[in-house]
């Protein structure tokens, strides 16, 4: 999920309430080789992460199958119109009921009202939020860069 | 990945070269409760699945970070312009080199030329391929349906 977030234009990921050195190493290694900027923070409690974000003036978007449908409603426009930085929260397994409350989420958004994958939801949300543009972006300080090909693989070193 | 495929409008999934009763049960249960149509087939060798698809006149799209960029190139238009049914192939871990060959893939498509998640790539590909419309679709024979809400959860039984 962290790699999908990076590829689709997120500035970083907070893995809350959990520490996992192995995930951090994997993500940091990708960023080191393929470029950034992209931060990976872990261990912060989710309540603290949300509180800090709101104090800085950001909005919180909770992705959930129960929320407003990203295709059928105008929720994405309302998020964009807020003009504020967005923190997307996604749960693993069952999420705390508080995620749905006003004190936490400013928007509850459904990437389709069907059960599926948090990673897929996050990817589609970011792709739509950024209007597809981030899939074309160049990353800074990349050591390796893929040159798109109709067939085969082409990677060049970048110095 | 199968659930993301279903939620984003795929007709079904072939889990090739592998059999996993537990995955099949999970997916079939979701389709039974949340509606279809959606097939889940497993165990078929990938070569056979590709061969059968091509014999029926379909095209094969291989999702890979090395392929033509879905945002920067016209590859999605060319796939649509083929007017043919699409089989999307995604690998887990390292994919066979043959995936890139003409005998297998008609198109090699990158949902961004960055390493990330197959599930995320598939979701974004389907969302774009179907022009976002499948996220609004109603499933047939659903026993339960979510009524989208700004806050909280609302599920109704459907008979």
């Amino acid at each position: 999920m962290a790699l999908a977030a990076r590829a689709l234009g997120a500035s970083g990921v907070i893995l809350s309430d959990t520490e996992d050195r192995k995930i951090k190493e994997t993500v940091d290694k990708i960023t080191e080789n393929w470029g950034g900027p992209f931060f990976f923070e872990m261990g912060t409690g989710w309540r603290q992460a949300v509180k800090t974000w709101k104090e800085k003036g950001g909005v919180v978007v909770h992705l959930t199958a129960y929320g407003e449908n990203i295709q059928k409603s105008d929720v994405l426009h309302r998020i964009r119109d807020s003009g504020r930085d967005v923190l997307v929260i996604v749960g693993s397994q069952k999420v705390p009921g508080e995620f749905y409350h006003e004190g936490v989420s400013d928007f509850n958004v459904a990437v389709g009202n069907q059960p599926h994958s948090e990673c897929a939801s996050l990817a589609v949300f970011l792709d739509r939020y950024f209007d597809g543009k981030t899939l074309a972006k160049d990353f800074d300080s990349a050591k390796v860069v893929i040159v798109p090909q109709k067939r085969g693989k082409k990677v060049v070193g970048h110095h």
Side-chain angles (χ1 to χ4, degrees), chain A residues 13-156:
Chain A
V13 161
I14 303 168
L15 176 63
S16 63
D17 299 294
T18 307
E19 305 235 345
D20 187 323
R21 292 270 140 217
K22 229 174 145 182
I23 297 180
K24 181 158 175 63
E25 272 168 32
T26 303
V27 176
D28 287 349
K29 189 96 191 168
I30 291 278
T31 301
E32 195 188 318
N33 287 326
W34 295 86
F38 187 75
F39 70 82
F40 184 84
E41 176 184 323
M42 62 185 179
T44 320
W46 70 263
R47 278 187 193 80
Q48 186 57 50
V50 164
K51 190 168 170 256
T52 307
W53 195 263
K54 291 191 172 236
E55 281 169 2
K56 286 186 185 162
V59 288
V60 176
V61 172
H62 172 213
L63 297 185
T64 164
Y66 298 97
E68 296 182 80
N69 191 297
I70 198 170
Q71 176 71 13
K72 289 196 273 190
S73 79
D74 65 348
V75 67
L76 192 57
H77 296 283
R78 277 150 43 219
I79 294 168
R80 284 214 197 92
D81 286 351
S82 75
R84 290 150 73 190
D85 283 344
V86 173
L87 174 71
V88 179
I89 55 175
V90 284
S92 65
Q93 314 284 340
K94 214 172 152 66
V95 306
E98 292 155 270
F99 272 30
Y100 294 90
H101 298 174
E102 275 180 51
V104 176
S105 53
D106 295 291
F107 301 95
N108 284 279
V109 177
V111 177
N113 298 105
Q114 295 289 328
H116 66 109
S117 125
E118 280 75 25
C119 180
S121 298
L122 177 64
V124 171
F125 176 82
L126 291 174
D127 190 42
R128 289 185 173 216
Y129 179 76
F130 290 121
D131 222 357
K133 289 175 190 143
T134 45
L135 285 182
K137 87 166 185 174
D138 292 322
F139 285 76
D140 296 337
S141 312
K143 290 181 186 165
V144 284
V145 173
I146 287 172
V147 183
Q149 302 284 306
K150 288 195 176 180
R151 303 210 171 271
K153 308 179 185 182
K154 188 170 181 183
V155 182
V156 295

